[in-house]
Amino acid sequence: MRTDPEGHGPVRYGPPLPDDGLPVLPELTAVLAAAAARPRAEPVGGGTPLLEAACDYGARRGLPARPDHVAAAPGAPALLLALTAALGGDVLVPRPCAAWWAPYARLLGRPVFHVATPAECGGVPDPYALLETVRRVRAEGGDPRLLVLSVADDPTATVAPPEVLHETVEAAAGEGLHLVSDETWRDTVHAPHETVLLSPADMLPDRVTVVTDLAGGLLPTGWPAAIARFPANGSGDGLRARVLDILTALGARIAAPVAAVAAHALTEPEPVTAHRAAVVDLHARVAAAAHAAVVGAGAFSLPPRAGRHLYVDLGPLRPALTAQGVGDAQDLEDFLSARLGMPAPGGHRFGDDLGALRVRLATGPLLGASDDERAECLTSPTPLELPHVQRALTTLKSVFDDLRDDAQRWEPPR
């Protein structure tokens, strides 16, 4: 992977979580402001109000816990770093996976092995590929211990079907792996009444740690806060203790005002849940329109089911891209970012093959260029008809349609 001074390195350039692009809910800013004068630091791992709110939040999703089985940190990356250090061994992740998963293992000197995903979804390794990878790594002297996965996925925006998840969890359990389930996006499912989302912790409670970054559905990305739910057994207690030791060594405390607003958001008062539902609905509509545009141009993309993004494979348009000097995912990232006027991180940022022409497109940049435009999207009954949204979607469609037309011209005659 290229590491030139423009920021193309695998660590220094890490695509952030897709932002919702919208103004912060006034109720949350009021709670933050009210807590800003607190002089005391939040304890490492989170104070009692935050941990109790996290427990109640999990219980409403069928994942009950006691405060001594939960920990909080300033963002999910700090938790994953601590978990990776505490568990030891080699790390397994799906291909592709969230951009922030692998760098923390590499920072610790831990090998990371990418495992292919099934055709119908991302975020969860194919169970047979997982078994093959584990056995190969062990045969080569490796020590695979940790599998990181996500049912509602970044970057693919898919939701893993329960039957696929069950087979993968069974395979992981049979190999003695500990699972970290990144559930950052579980509250952003586009059609919650039509989508069955199960946590691996429902299936394998003794070997799954659930990590949720509140930037997924509750807080702005600039207010870092995340929670981890550990197994309620002796090994979970020991793992939590080691994680707290590491967070202490890192000085990884949530800022006290952010802890206060996180605790408030985790109680899910009506204004917070109503705002979240409106945000999810808005991004679902924009994602569906963007998906229709790219698929209509001949690219491949699984329908987005969660989050604020979609994952696009431009392999079918390779002839047109080759003519534009695009040969790999880094070239494609540069090309589309310039043409679209928005970030279009290549699939290699997410552990995908550099040679594959894949990108993640976020929906936030399609909502407008100003706070007023983006706020209007949230209040409009027909956000896709707003002029600034129409312009953004028209630009997206035009760029992909031009590639389709060019690709057809480059097709050899039959």
Side-chain angles (χ1 to χ4, degrees):
M1 189 181 298
R2 302 168 192 174
T3 56
D4 63 59
E6 296 182 9
H8 288 163
V11 174
R12 282 178 297 140
Y13 179 81
L17 293 177
D19 194 286
D20 67 15
L22 298 165
V24 180
L25 181 67
E27 177 168 323
L28 296 183
T29 60
V31 174
L32 186 77
R38 294 184 181 180
R40 294 181 180 174
E42 186 78 358
V44 171
T48 299
L50 176 55
L51 298 183
E52 289 181 345
C55 290
D56 292 340
Y57 169 88
R60 289 191 293 274
R61 286 150 182 79
L63 299 173
R66 299 196 314 261
D68 59 351
H69 293 145
V70 178
L79 287 170
L80 185 58
L81 173 63
L83 282 161
T84 304
L87 286 162
D90 302 342
V91 180
L92 302 163
V93 296
R95 182 192 299 276
C97 69
W100 56 274
W101 288 359
Y104 296 97
R106 296 194 181 105
L107 187 65
L108 294 167
R110 302 284 166 73
V112 178
F113 297 93
H114 291 267
V115 186
T117 55
E120 60 265 47
C121 68
V124 175
D126 176 87
Y128 300 103
L130 176 63
L131 291 173
E132 180 183 348
T133 302
V134 169
R135 289 165 188 167
R136 173 176 57 83
V137 171
R138 286 181 177 151
E140 294 172 355
D143 182 20
R145 297 187 195 176
L146 170 60
L147 169 64
V148 188
L149 47 72
S150 83
V151 181
D153 185 46
D154 172 24
T156 65
T158 58
V159 176
E163 59 274 16
V164 171
L165 179 64
H166 189 270
E167 291 178 3
T168 299
V169 169
E170 272 196 339
E175 296 299 332
L177 302 177
H178 188 92
L179 279 66
V180 169
S181 176
D182 176 8
E183 301 190 4
T184 295
W185 301 104
R186 70 168 296 153
D187 291 337
T188 68
V189 172
H190 296 173
H193 299 297
E194 303 169 15
T195 306
V196 179
L197 187 153
L198 294 180
S199 169
D202 293 318
M203 305 174 182
L204 194 66
D206 291 344
R207 299 190 68 87
V208 176
T209 298
V210 175
V211 172
T212 305
D213 197 306
L214 302 192
L218 290 174
L219 295 182
T221 54
W223 300 359
I227 53 176
R229 174 190 180 272
F230 297 85
N233 55 25
S235 67
D237 293 343
L239 178 59
R240 180 178 183 269
R242 294 194 298 276
V243 164
L244 291 178
D245 285 344
I246 295 164
L247 294 177
T248 300
L250 295 172
R253 303 169 185 262
I254 299 181
V258 175
V261 73
H264 177 78
L266 284 165
T267 64
E268 298 183 291
E270 194 278 335
V272 170
T273 57
H275 178 78
R276 181 177 62 206
V279 171
V280 170
D281 179 68
L282 170 62
H283 282 278
R285 294 191 197 192
V286 176
H291 180 262
V294 300
V295 171
F300 176 74
S301 175
L302 290 172
R305 304 294 189 199
R308 305 185 281 257
H309 52 286
L310 62 157
Y311 198 59
V312 185
D313 185 343
L314 285 83
L317 304 177
R318 185 179 287 273
L321 289 163
T322 300
Q324 296 280 355
V326 175
D328 61 23
Q330 181 61 66
D331 295 334
L332 182 61
E333 175 182 300
D334 296 338
F335 175 83
L336 283 182
S337 295
R339 294 299 190 281
L340 296 174
M342 58 183 258
H348 61 305
R349 308 296 185 187
F350 309 99
D352 221 335
D353 293 331
L354 178 62
L357 298 179
R358 300 186 185 116
V359 294
R360 186 190 71 184
L361 299 178
T363 50
L366 302 174
L367 301 181
S370 69
D371 288 344
D372 288 343
E373 286 182 345
R374 292 189 288 269
E376 188 180 4
C377 292
L378 201 56
T379 57
S380 172
T382 54
L384 298 186
E385 297 177 12
L386 294 172
H388 53 276
V389 177
Q390 282 190 336
R391 284 194 299 271
L393 289 171
T394 298
T395 298
L396 178 71
K397 186 175 187 302
S398 176
V399 168
F400 277 83
D401 283 351
D402 286 349
L403 289 173
R404 176 200 60 201
D405 295 343
D406 289 347
Q408 289 172 350
R409 283 194 289 271
W410 280 94
E411 285 182 357
R414 295 181 180 179

